[in-house]
Amino acid sequence: MRFSSTESYVAAPDLAVAVNAAITLERPLLVKGEPGTGKTELARQVAQSLGMSMIEWNVKSTTRAQQGLYEYDAVSRLRDSQLGEARVHDIGNYIRKGKLWQAFEAESKVVLLIDEVDKADIEFPNDLLQELDRMEFHVYETGETIRARHRPVVIITSNNEKELPDAFLRRCFFHYIRFPDAETLKRIVDVHFPDLKPRLLDEALTQFLELRDVQGLKKKPSTSELLDWLKLILAEDLSPEDLKRPAGEMLPKLHGALLKNEQDVAMFERLAFMARRTR
């Protein structure tokens, strides 16, 4: 099994090496990077490239590690016992399988995505250490041990919102997705918009990269926002000349696709005002 770029996903060489190293080591791949750099999409493309199914566990601030294993619905069992239901005698009827259980019992090897692990409580990663290491867990209500039929390819994403425990990091293969350079961005754009005219692409990329380079941005525009912006440019049928900013203007056309908070927009307006005053 070797992962590389696909028709719809441009993977930098170091990212492909990281994916393949994690598969070889049978370790979870921990992927960090700016939001919008394709961390979640990576798991989908790995699954597609290797011909596997994907099981996706989207982590929220309220998510507990136990939910990834299973949940015991004691309330439903109590209700059924009061109603005299026959199913109440089999406790297995009240066990809800989590995403890890689904991945462990899959008929063939799957890709398991644990998305945005840093959103959960700080103890969340530690609570999964043994299960991800040994690929098994115990169901106390039924007394059975669930073992992985086929060790899944585990991809864990993080937006770096909080530090992850050292014990958890030690069990992972780590990769940070750096923001693509201009040439890689062109390859990414070509995958999504193969008919985009070179002059229009050059002008759009120049403005986009200049925007990212401005110091003090609260949120720099990401790859996904670049693609959204280009989609709007094409929908509006703008030419390279249309994209050029008038003298004294700093905000690009359709900047709402790139700048996502009022502080950044206001900063560009102040910079433009200062530039006009110095002329």
Side-chain angles (χ1 to χ4, degrees), residues 193 196 200 227-239 242-243 254:
F193 305 107
L196 192 63
L200 182 60
L227 296 176
D228 286 345
W229 186 49
L230 289 172
K231 187 175 181 179
L232 285 175
I233 289 171
L234 291 174
E236 295 292 327
D237 196 23
L238 299 181
S239 68
D242 294 328
L243 281 187
L254 303 167

Side-chain angles (χ1 to χ4, degrees), residues 55-66:
I55 295 175
E56 187 169 349
W57 185 11
N58 296 301
V59 177
K60 301 177 182 178
S61 60
T62 56
T63 302
R64 294 176 292 106
Q66 181 64 31

Side-chain angles (χ1 to χ4, degrees), residues 1-5 11-29 31 42 45-47 49-50 52 109 153-155 173-175:
M1 295 186 298
R2 302 292 295 176
F3 169 72
S4 60
S5 296
D14 60 339
L15 176 57
V17 168
V19 171
N20 292 316
I23 292 173
T24 300
L25 293 173
E26 296 187 328
R27 297 265 186 188
L29 173 63
V31 184
L42 170 66
Q45 295 301 323
V46 169
S49 174
L50 302 180
M52 298 179 186
K109 200 177 186 72
V153 176
V154 181
I155 297 178
F173 189 94
F174 172 75
H175 183 75

Side-chain angles (χ1 to χ4, degrees), residues 10 46 52 60 63-64 78 102 126 133 165 250-251 255 261 279:
V10 176
V46 169
M52 298 179 186
K60 301 177 182 178
T63 302
R64 294 176 292 106
L78 175 61
Q102 295 172 29
N126 277 338
D133 204 22
M250 298 197 69
L251 285 169
H255 64 266
N261 61 71
R279 292 213 319 261

Side-chain angles (χ1 to χ4, degrees), residues 120-256:
D121 183 85
I122 189 62
E123 291 303 320
F124 177 89
N126 277 338
D127 291 342
L128 291 175
L129 286 181
Q130 297 301 321
E131 289 77 12
L132 291 176
D133 204 22
R134 298 180 181 176
M135 286 290 152
E136 66 178 38
F137 63 89
H138 188 71
V139 183
Y140 296 98
E141 289 77 6
T142 63
E144 61 183 323
T145 298
I146 306 301
R147 294 184 177 88
R149 295 183 182 181
H150 308 277
R151 193 178 188 99
V153 176
V154 181
I155 297 178
I156 304 171
T157 71
S158 168
N159 286 327
N160 241 354
E161 291 183 8
K162 62 169 68 83
E163 288 296 321
L164 298 173
D166 289 345
F168 179 77
L169 295 174
R170 192 168 62 248
R171 288 167 168 82
C172 297
F173 189 94
F174 172 75
H175 183 75
Y176 184 87
I177 298 182
R178 293 179 176 83
F179 193 81
D181 58 22
E183 286 305 311
T184 305
L185 280 175
K186 286 184 178 180
R187 290 172 58 206
I188 293 171
V189 170
D190 187 57
V191 166
H192 295 271
F193 305 107
D195 299 323
L196 192 63
K197 294 179 180 177
R199 284 185 60 240
L200 182 60
L201 174 59
D202 288 342
E203 179 63 32
L205 277 184
T206 297
Q207 292 195 28
F208 174 76
L209 292 173
E210 286 176 355
L211 195 69
R212 275 189 57 89
D213 284 342
V214 172
Q215 297 297 314
L217 277 181
K218 186 174 181 181
K219 183 194 177 304
K220 293 185 177 184
S222 66
T223 311
S224 63
E225 286 152 346
L226 169 64
L227 296 176
D228 286 345
W229 186 49
L230 289 172
K231 187 175 181 179
L232 285 175
I233 289 171
L234 291 174
E236 295 292 327
D237 196 23
L238 299 181
S239 68
E241 288 71 28
D242 294 328
L243 281 187
K244 291 185 183 299
R245 289 164 291 192
E249 290 292 328
M250 298 197 69
L251 285 169
K253 295 276 178 64
L254 303 167
H255 64 266

